[in-house]
Amino acid sequence: MKLKKLKKKVALEVLKFIPKNIIIGVGTGSTISYFIDFLKTIRNKIIGAVSSSIKTTENLKKNGIKIFELNKINNLPLYIDSADEINRNMDMIKGGGAALTKEKIIASAAKKFICIIDETKEVKILGKFPLPVEVLPMSYKYVKKKLEKLGGIVKKRNKIITENNNYILDISNLYINNPFDLENKINNIPGVISVGIFSQRKPDVLLVSKINKVKVIFRKNEK
Ligand code: 5RP
């Protein structure tokens, strides 16, 4: 299957970017599952991993990779994760797997963030993928009304309780011209735990899996 091949290719390629003897932050999703399969092959060269979800933790443990809590380490040199959408400025939508809050914390805490995607994730304007917002359950109707004023169609994700015991509201039909502002606006609504726009913490390096190659893009000031 084409998409699966693209995801596997980029998941393998990113191994070249992992220095020896470090702890790595690890994201969540199908691309990251392939990455963990490959990470297993170099597990003796790394110290271990900080995980962004229960699923990732189980997967890492199953593959013999030691788990560290973010609170128990002094610094995190690298975070590797995928995304649902990314634009040319490297603003992203994440959270398709409902792990956005932990993903955002770990991405922000890490010195370097490498994002690995297949080419279908590249977009001109963010918003075709419904934007996830994690909300405190007691506030969700209030937050929903506030979000509706931003112009999209807001739906509570069916039967989903996040690992932090919260709900997810997905906003579809958005045309996100200014991701930075929208991230701030949504973050400012009381009851919002986090929003799946990653515009304040963008990747430092982006690996895009294309049919014939994996393209490597360094964000400005990054080498
Ligand atoms: C999970 C995420 C994932 O990175 C995103 O959904 C991409 O997933 P996949 O690799 O399965 O396409 O943000 O919360």
Side-chain angles (χ1 to χ4, degrees):
M1 205 185 160
K2 192 182 138 199
L3 196 59
K4 194 170 154 181
K5 268 192 181 169
L6 288 176
K7 288 184 181 200
K8 279 192 175 180
K9 194 156 71 162
V10 74
L12 176 62
E13 188 69 16
V14 75
L15 292 190
K16 294 179 187 161
F17 292 76
I18 302 177
K20 281 183 186 161
N21 295 319
I22 64 160
I23 297 175
I24 306 164
V26 181
T28 296
S30 57
T31 314
I32 289 300
S33 290
Y34 296 128
F35 166 65
I36 296 171
D37 292 341
F38 295 124
L39 190 63
K40 177 176 71 177
T41 65
I42 60 154
R43 70 176 170 216
N44 296 328
K45 293 185 183 148
I46 60 164
I47 299 172
V50 171
S51 168
S52 61
S53 66
I54 293 170
K55 193 167 175 234
T56 291
T57 302
E58 283 169 356
N59 205 349
L60 287 164
K61 280 186 180 167
K62 193 179 80 192
N63 285 290
I65 296 159
K66 196 173 170 197
I67 303 294
F68 288 83
E69 274 179 44
L70 187 61
N71 282 328
K72 300 254 166 80
I73 59 174
N74 289 328
N75 56 65
L76 184 64
L78 180 61
Y79 179 58
I80 296 175
D81 198 357
S82 188
D84 295 303
E85 274 188 356
I86 186 157
N87 69 15
R88 284 181 188 155
N89 293 324
M90 291 200 193
D91 305 294
M92 304 186 297
I93 289 185
K94 286 186 51 55
L100 62 155
T101 300
K102 289 187 196 169
E103 289 174 342
K104 200 177 248 192
I105 292 167
I106 303 173
S108 303
K111 187 151 189 278
K112 185 182 253 187
F113 175 12
I114 302 181
C115 184
I116 54 172
I117 56 163
D118 62 80
E119 62 184 355
T120 65
K121 307 287 181 67
E122 288 184 307
V123 296
K124 273 194 183 147
I125 304 275
L126 297 178
K128 198 165 176 203
F129 188 92
L131 174 65
V133 182
E134 181 164 357
V135 296
L136 207 68
M138 66 82 71
S139 71
Y140 95 88
K141 284 201 172 162
Y142 164 74
V143 175
K144 186 169 180 282
K145 275 186 204 153
K146 290 292 229 186
L147 293 175
E148 276 160 356
K149 287 191 180 145
L150 299 172
I153 298 167
V154 186
K155 278 197 181 138
K156 182 173 161 293
R157 204 178 290 182
N158 207 9
K159 293 183 184 151
I160 289 290
I161 306 277
T162 69
E163 290 178 18
N164 316 307
N165 291 317
N166 296 314
Y167 293 161
I168 297 283
L169 297 175
D170 289 305
I171 320 177
S172 51
N173 281 28
L174 275 182
Y175 190 81
I176 307 176
N177 274 318
N178 191 331
F180 191 89
D181 276 1
L182 190 63
E183 184 175 7
N184 278 337
K185 258 187 204 156
I186 297 179
N187 273 335
N188 276 336
I189 302 171
V192 167
I193 304 296
S194 65
V195 52
I197 299 178
F198 282 52
S199 184
Q200 336 255 335
R201 196 349 168 187
K202 300 179 189 191
D204 302 294
V205 185
L206 175 66
L207 270 60
V208 187
S209 195
K210 297 184 178 277
I211 290 169
N212 301 320
K213 60 174 180 183
V214 173
K215 194 171 161 195
V216 181
I217 303 162
F218 293 90
R219 193 156 54 83
K220 267 188 193 158
N221 305 327
E222 192 54 40
K223 271 189 190 153

Short mmCIF file of all heavy atoms in Angstrom, two decimals, residues 7 28-32 81-84 94-100 103 121, ligand 1:
data_model
loop_
_atom_site.label_atom_id
_atom_site.label_comp_id
_atom_site.label_asym_id
_atom_site.label_seq_id
_atom_site.Cartn_x
_atom_site.Cartn_y
_atom_site.Cartn_z
N LYS A 7 5.19 6.09 4.78
CA LYS A 7 5.36 6.28 6.23
C LYS A 7 6.56 5.47 6.73
O LYS A 7 7.36 5.96 7.52
CB LYS A 7 4.08 5.86 6.98
CG LYS A 7 2.94 6.83 6.79
CD LYS A 7 1.71 6.45 7.60
CE LYS A 7 0.60 7.45 7.35
NZ LYS A 7 -0.43 7.48 8.37
N THR A 28 3.08 9.97 18.77
CA THR A 28 2.01 8.96 18.71
C THR A 28 1.44 8.90 17.29
O THR A 28 1.39 9.92 16.61
CB THR A 28 0.89 9.34 19.71
OG1 THR A 28 1.44 9.29 21.03
CG2 THR A 28 -0.29 8.40 19.64
N GLY A 29 0.99 7.70 16.89
CA GLY A 29 0.34 7.57 15.58
C GLY A 29 0.94 6.43 14.77
O GLY A 29 1.87 5.76 15.23
N SER A 30 0.43 6.24 13.56
CA SER A 30 0.88 5.10 12.76
C SER A 30 2.31 5.29 12.25
O SER A 30 3.10 4.34 12.25
CB SER A 30 -0.09 4.85 11.59
OG SER A 30 -0.21 6.01 10.80
N THR A 31 2.68 6.52 11.86
CA THR A 31 4.05 6.76 11.39
C THR A 31 5.03 6.46 12.53
O THR A 31 6.08 5.85 12.33
CB THR A 31 4.21 8.24 10.93
OG1 THR A 31 3.10 8.58 10.10
CG2 THR A 31 5.51 8.45 10.19
N ILE A 32 4.64 6.87 13.72
CA ILE A 32 5.50 6.66 14.89
C ILE A 32 5.56 5.17 15.27
O ILE A 32 6.59 4.70 15.73
CB ILE A 32 5.03 7.56 16.06
CG1 ILE A 32 5.35 9.03 15.74
CG2 ILE A 32 5.64 7.15 17.39
CD1 ILE A 32 6.84 9.35 15.52
N ASP A 81 8.13 13.14 16.06
CA ASP A 81 6.69 12.91 15.96
C ASP A 81 6.25 13.19 14.53
O ASP A 81 7.00 13.73 13.72
CB ASP A 81 5.94 13.82 16.95
CG ASP A 81 4.52 13.35 17.23
OD1 ASP A 81 4.08 12.36 16.61
OD2 ASP A 81 3.83 13.98 18.06
N SER A 82 5.01 12.83 14.24
CA SER A 82 4.43 13.12 12.93
C SER A 82 3.41 14.25 13.07
O SER A 82 3.38 14.93 14.10
CB SER A 82 3.80 11.85 12.36
OG SER A 82 3.41 12.07 11.03
N ALA A 83 2.59 14.45 12.04
CA ALA A 83 1.58 15.52 12.07
C ALA A 83 0.41 15.14 11.18
O ALA A 83 0.51 14.23 10.35
CB ALA A 83 2.21 16.83 11.59
N ASP A 84 -0.69 15.86 11.34
CA ASP A 84 -1.86 15.64 10.48
C ASP A 84 -1.83 16.56 9.26
O ASP A 84 -2.27 16.18 8.18
CB ASP A 84 -3.15 15.84 11.28
CG ASP A 84 -3.27 14.79 12.37
OD1 ASP A 84 -3.26 13.59 12.04
OD2 ASP A 84 -3.33 15.16 13.55
N LYS A 94 -1.98 18.91 14.74
CA LYS A 94 -1.76 17.58 15.31
C LYS A 94 -2.92 17.23 16.23
O LYS A 94 -3.72 18.08 16.57
CB LYS A 94 -0.45 17.58 16.14
CG LYS A 94 0.80 17.60 15.27
CD LYS A 94 2.08 17.46 16.06
CE LYS A 94 2.11 16.31 17.01
NZ LYS A 94 1.82 14.99 16.42
N GLY A 95 -2.97 15.95 16.60
CA GLY A 95 -4.00 15.56 17.56
C GLY A 95 -5.03 14.61 17.01
O GLY A 95 -6.01 14.30 17.69
N GLY A 96 -4.80 14.14 15.77
CA GLY A 96 -5.71 13.14 15.20
C GLY A 96 -5.85 11.94 16.12
O GLY A 96 -6.90 11.32 16.19
N GLY A 97 -4.79 11.64 16.84
CA GLY A 97 -4.80 10.50 17.76
C GLY A 97 -5.15 10.90 19.19
O GLY A 97 -4.98 10.10 20.11
N ALA A 98 -5.60 12.14 19.37
CA ALA A 98 -6.05 12.65 20.68
C ALA A 98 -4.93 12.79 21.71
O ALA A 98 -5.20 12.93 22.90
CB ALA A 98 -7.20 11.82 21.25
N ALA A 99 -3.67 12.76 21.25
CA ALA A 99 -2.55 12.83 22.20
C ALA A 99 -1.90 14.21 22.20
O ALA A 99 -0.78 14.39 22.66
CB ALA A 99 -1.52 11.76 21.85
N LEU A 100 -2.65 15.22 21.69
CA LEU A 100 -2.03 16.53 21.43
C LEU A 100 -1.41 17.21 22.64
O LEU A 100 -0.38 17.86 22.53
CB LEU A 100 -3.03 17.47 20.76
CG LEU A 100 -4.31 17.85 21.51
CD1 LEU A 100 -4.82 19.17 21.02
CD2 LEU A 100 -5.38 16.81 21.30
N GLU A 103 1.84 15.59 23.54
CA GLU A 103 2.75 15.82 22.40
C GLU A 103 3.28 17.25 22.41
O GLU A 103 4.46 17.50 22.18
CB GLU A 103 2.01 15.56 21.07
CG GLU A 103 1.72 14.08 20.84
CD GLU A 103 0.86 13.81 19.62
OE1 GLU A 103 0.20 14.74 19.10
OE2 GLU A 103 0.84 12.66 19.18
N LYS A 121 0.52 15.00 3.85
CA LYS A 121 0.26 15.91 4.98
C LYS A 121 0.56 17.38 4.64
O LYS A 121 0.22 18.27 5.40
CB LYS A 121 1.11 15.50 6.19
CG LYS A 121 0.98 14.04 6.62
CD LYS A 121 -0.32 13.77 7.29
CE LYS A 121 -0.53 12.35 7.76
NZ LYS A 121 0.31 11.90 8.83
C1 5RP B 1 -1.51 12.07 17.18
C2 5RP B 1 -0.87 12.91 16.13
C3 5RP B 1 -0.19 12.20 15.00
O1 5RP B 1 1.10 12.69 14.86
C4 5RP B 1 -0.95 12.47 13.74
O2 5RP B 1 -2.30 12.14 13.94
C5 5RP B 1 -0.37 11.68 12.56
O3 5RP B 1 -0.70 10.34 12.66
P1 5RP B 1 -0.33 9.25 11.59
O4 5RP B 1 1.14 9.02 11.69
O5 5RP B 1 -1.12 8.03 12.01
O6 5RP B 1 -0.72 9.74 10.23
O7 5RP B 1 -0.87 14.11 16.18
O8 5RP B 1 -2.14 12.84 18.17
#
